């Protein structure tokens, strides 16, 4: 029979493990307050395993958190950030920026100078220009005379930067829950992050004093529509793999339906025109026509750093008006240079009598189903009110993304997070969610703050500036700047892991 003792939460621990933990007590420094959770009044350490508490854990390692990784490393070199380098959890195998939208001929819509670092530190080694230099393409790129590289090249730039931080990120790590860790007085001091390492096939646990949530938006569909199991109805987020599987023969006479009027719809339309020269391609949207993105000089100042401060300080009514008036700089509009390309393709199609390309305006999807290996999409004409049904091999909904509030990953923390009357999180200026007084961790939710911080929130434009603001907001250094050890007990099945203090 194995001798057992009892842990902090009533769990049974083999006596040999308890003895080993007591020996560890002589090795691990005792000045870490979080270790108090694992001692009884008699001073015996009772613990299942030790874990570090990170100053900041980032969930997702796309561009937003990648910018934080870059800023933390450079600012830790004497520019104002003195804590331990953040640690990141990414569910993919590597950094890939919207992989299913890395379409041939698709271009970046943001000036390449707005990379991960340059707007904060022009001398950074993590800039796009230095990437080009290291790839021996700098002279050739300059000779292109463009500010807008391909999306594929910019995604490769992100991957290049990510390789500098391989010691600070765990790939194939999917977070499943985030739990508050309470001290004896009921104050939440840190967060417990649970998940699954898909590579090793085992669970993991991390602890964090602060959290940077940057998981991207969730694909958005019209009401009564969702992605089908066979893939014939899909979101643009799955464009490339879906179309190339269903329309395996590029020269086949496929029927492709695209729903949407924004940049993504335009990119998918161009991809289908060029990649499937014999396909019948229809675009339908609610409006009269594709609108151009307004990136003219004066309007583009909405992406200046000071515009964020202006927007945040504005009354709620003024914020709504600004979003409505200038929403087409980011939403439901197409890059000005792409519009004549699409129009020329439509004209040449009509001039040659092929008539395989169509745009249906004033059209609203009311229902979509997968039937017999095809997408059946019911459409209502907003002018006449009449309805008909379109059949296609694949229906691609380029209908944007949404950032759900409440965010599912924060479901166990909702009692501590403040929301407005519309159910949206209330954000402080430094991008963290306003929280209860007994909740110490700051949760920086990147991408969720458009209603408080303005139109730059979901774009690449100000990522380095935002990263710097977040890191400076975390506060002064604690301890030695390294992740501090904590030895929490395991509360099986509990929503809250409670830390007990030394008596």
């Amino acid at each position: 029979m194995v001798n057992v003792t009892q842990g902090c939460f009533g769990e049974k621990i083999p006596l040999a493990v308890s003895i080993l933990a007591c020996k560890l007590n002589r090795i691990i420094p005792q000045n870490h307050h979080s270790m108090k959770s694992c001692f009884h009044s008699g001073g015996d350490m009772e613990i299942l395993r030790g874990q570090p508490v990170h100053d900041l854990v980032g969930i997702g390692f796309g561009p937003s958190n990648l910018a934080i990784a870059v800023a933390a490393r450079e600012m830790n070199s004497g520019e104002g950030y003195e804590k331990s380098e953040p640690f990141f959890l990414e569910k993919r195998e590597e950094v890939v920026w919207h992989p299913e939208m890395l379409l041939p001929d698709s271009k970046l819509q943001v000036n390449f100078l707005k990379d991960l670092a340059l707007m904060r530190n022009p001398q950074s080694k993590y800039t796009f220009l230095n990437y080009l230099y290291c790839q021996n393409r700098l002279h050739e790129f300059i000779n292109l005379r463009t500010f807008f590289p391909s999306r594929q090249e910019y995604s490769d730039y992100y991957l290049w930067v990510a390789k500098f931080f391989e010691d600070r990120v765990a790939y194939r790590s999917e977070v499943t829950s985030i739990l508050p860790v309470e001290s004896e007085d009921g104050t939440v001091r840190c967060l417990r992050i649970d998940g699954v390492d898909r590579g090793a096939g085992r669970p993991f646990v991390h602890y964090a004093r602060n959290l940077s949530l940057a998981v991207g938006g969730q694909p958005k569909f019209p009401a009564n529509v969702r992605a089908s199991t066979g893939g014939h109805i899909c979101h643009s987020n799955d464009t490339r793999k879906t179309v190339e599987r269903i329309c395996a023969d590029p020269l086949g006479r496929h029927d492709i339906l695209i729903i949407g009027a924004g940049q993504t719809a335009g990119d998918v339309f161009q991809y289908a025109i060029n990649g499937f020269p014999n396909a019948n391609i229809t675009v339908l949207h609610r409006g009269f026509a594709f609108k151009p993105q307004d990136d003219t000089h004066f309007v583009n100042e909405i992406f200046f750093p000071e515009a964020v401060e202006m927007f945040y300080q504005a009354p709620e009514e003024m914020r709504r008006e600004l979003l409505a008036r200038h929403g087409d700089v980011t939403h439901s509009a197409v890059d000005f240079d792409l519009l004549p390309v699409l129009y020329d393709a439509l004209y040449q199609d009509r001039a040659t009598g092929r008539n395989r390309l169509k745009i249906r305006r004033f059209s609203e999807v009311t229902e979509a189903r997968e039937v017999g290996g095809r997408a059946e999409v019911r459409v209502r004409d907003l002018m006449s009110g009449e309805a008909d049904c379109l059949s296609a091999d694949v229906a691609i909904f380029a209908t944007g993304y949404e950032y759900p509030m409440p965010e599912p990953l924060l479901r166990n923390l909702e009692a501590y997070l403040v929301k407005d009357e519309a159910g949206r999180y209330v954000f402080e200026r430094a991008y963290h969610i306003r929280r209860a007084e007994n909740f110490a961790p700051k949760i920086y939710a990147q991408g969720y703050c458009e209603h408080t911080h303005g139109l730059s929130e979901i774009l690449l434009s100000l990522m380095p500036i935002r990263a710097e603001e977040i890191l400076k907001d975390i506060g002064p250094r604690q301890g030695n700047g390294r992740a501090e050890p904590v030895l929490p007990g395991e509360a099986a099945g509990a929503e809250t892991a409670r830390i007990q203090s030394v008596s």
Side-chain angles (χ1 to χ4, degrees), residues 170-188:
Y171 291 104
R172 302 189 71 179
S173 297
E174 184 172 358
V175 175
T176 56
S177 69
I178 304 168
L179 302 172
V181 179
E182 294 182 356
S183 59
E184 193 173 50
D185 64 2
T187 300
V188 176

Side-chain angles (χ1 to χ4, degrees), residues 30-49:
Q30 295 298 298
N31 60 348
H32 300 300
H33 67 276
S34 54
M35 291 177 60
K36 296 178 181 178
S37 61
C38 301
F39 287 83
H40 287 310
S41 57
D44 293 330
M45 178 185 287
E46 296 177 340
I47 182 62
L48 290 179
R49 60 177 177 269

Side-chain angles (χ1 to χ4, degrees), residues 69-299:
V70 169
R73 182 159 296 181
E74 293 186 334
M75 293 168 68
N76 232 339
S77 302
E79 295 184 18
Y81 179 70
E82 298 179 333
K83 287 182 173 288
S84 59
E85 286 197 39
F87 188 78
F88 301 93
L89 301 166
E90 169 57 52
K91 66 180 181 180
R92 297 183 184 273
E93 294 183 1
E94 62 180 6
V95 172
V96 183
W97 182 46
H98 293 296
E100 298 305 319
M101 283 302 298
L102 298 179
L103 307 174
D105 302 319
S106 63
K107 299 292 185 181
L108 192 70
Q109 274 74 58
V110 177
N111 191 310
F112 76 83
L113 294 174
K114 296 182 178 181
D115 57 25
L116 294 169
L118 187 140
M119 303 296 286
R120 177 186 53 79
N121 177 18
Q123 296 177 315
S124 171
K125 73 175 184 179
Y126 303 107
T127 64
F128 181 70
L129 287 174
N130 192 46
Y131 157 78
L132 291 172
Y133 177 80
C134 292
Q135 305 302 314
N136 296 313
R137 293 201 305 268
L138 181 58
H139 293 287
E140 290 84 351
F141 181 83
I142 292 172
N143 205 35
L144 287 174
R145 305 178 188 183
T146 182
F147 283 107
F148 307 104
S150 71
R151 292 176 63 90
Q152 178 65 60
E153 184 173 36
Y154 222 66
S155 180
D156 188 65
Y157 155 64
Y158 289 145
L159 178 60
W160 175 79
V161 173
K163 289 181 179 178
F164 288 99
F165 298 91
E166 290 186 340
D167 62 326
R168 305 304 305 164
V169 58
Y171 291 104
R172 302 189 71 179
S173 297
E174 184 172 358
V175 175
T176 56
S177 69
I178 304 168
L179 302 172
V181 179
E182 294 182 356
S183 59
E184 193 173 50
D185 64 2
T187 300
V188 176
R189 302 295 182 187
C190 67
L191 302 172
R192 168 177 167 151
I193 303 166
D194 288 80
V196 178
D197 182 335
R198 298 298 182 189
R202 59 172 178 258
F204 64 75
V205 176
H206 290 282
Y207 292 87
R209 293 188 180 88
N210 303 284
L211 188 71
S212 174
L213 186 67
V215 294
Q218 299 299 311
K220 182 181 179 181
F221 287 91
N224 302 321
V225 176
R226 61 181 179 180
S228 64
T229 56
H232 294 272
I233 300 169
C234 72
H235 192 268
S236 56
N237 190 54
D238 295 315
T239 293
R240 193 160 188 175
K241 68 180 181 183
T242 299
V243 174
E244 292 179 359
R245 175 177 61 84
I246 293 175
C247 305
D249 178 7
L251 300 179
R253 295 189 63 83
H254 309 291
D255 297 313
I256 299 174
L257 181 61
I258 302 163
I259 300 92
Q263 180 63 41
T264 300
D267 285 338
V268 174
F269 192 22
Q270 183 186 34
Y271 162 66
I273 291 170
N274 295 338
F276 301 88
N278 296 319
N280 296 307
I281 306 165
T282 300
V283 176
L284 62 85
H285 51 68
R286 293 171 52 88
F288 175 77
F290 284 122
K291 294 191 302 181
Q293 287 179 348
D294 187 354
D295 62 350
T296 52
H297 300 75
F298 293 103
V299 171

Side-chain angles (χ1 to χ4, degrees), residues 243-414:
V243 174
E244 292 179 359
R245 175 177 61 84
I246 293 175
C247 305
D249 178 7
L251 300 179
R253 295 189 63 83
H254 309 291
D255 297 313
I256 299 174
L257 181 61
I258 302 163
I259 300 92
Q263 180 63 41
T264 300
D267 285 338
V268 174
F269 192 22
Q270 183 186 34
Y271 162 66
I273 291 170
N274 295 338
F276 301 88
N278 296 319
N280 296 307
I281 306 165
T282 300
V283 176
L284 62 85
H285 51 68
R286 293 171 52 88
F288 175 77
F290 284 122
K291 294 191 302 181
Q293 287 179 348
D294 187 354
D295 62 350
T296 52
H297 300 75
F298 293 103
V299 171
N300 215 39
E301 288 192 358
I302 206 167
F303 300 121
F304 283 15
E306 52 266 31
V308 176
E309 182 68 25
M310 174 203 70
F311 192 94
Y312 188 82
Q313 297 299 335
E316 178 63 26
E317 184 178 350
M318 178 63 75
R319 290 179 188 173
R320 288 196 298 267
E321 182 178 344
L322 285 169
L323 290 173
R325 179 172 295 185
H326 297 293
D328 57 2
V329 301
T330 57
H331 303 294
S332 300
V334 181
D335 182 72
F336 187 85
D337 292 334
L338 179 57
L339 291 174
V341 174
L342 298 178
Y343 196 85
D344 182 71
L346 283 160
Y347 179 82
Q348 297 302 330
D349 178 69
R350 179 177 297 182
T352 57
R354 301 192 66 195
N355 297 319
R356 70 184 189 96
L357 309 179
K358 295 181 177 63
I359 293 182
R360 287 185 51 166
R361 54 174 60 112
F362 303 130
S363 297
E364 179 184 56
V365 173
T366 59
E367 186 181 4
R369 297 183 302 165
E370 184 176 309
V371 180
R374 288 179 67 84
E376 303 292 333
V377 180
R378 191 164 183 80
V379 181
R380 183 169 69 94
D381 187 300
L382 296 175
M383 292 285 286
S384 67
E386 296 179 355
D388 65 338
C389 189
L390 301 181
S391 179
D393 292 294
V394 60
I396 304 165
F397 284 81
T399 43
Y401 297 83
E402 58 187 354
Y403 289 81
M405 292 184 246
E407 160 59 47
L409 277 177
L410 303 180
R411 61 187 179 274
N412 296 315
L413 310 179
E414 288 300 317

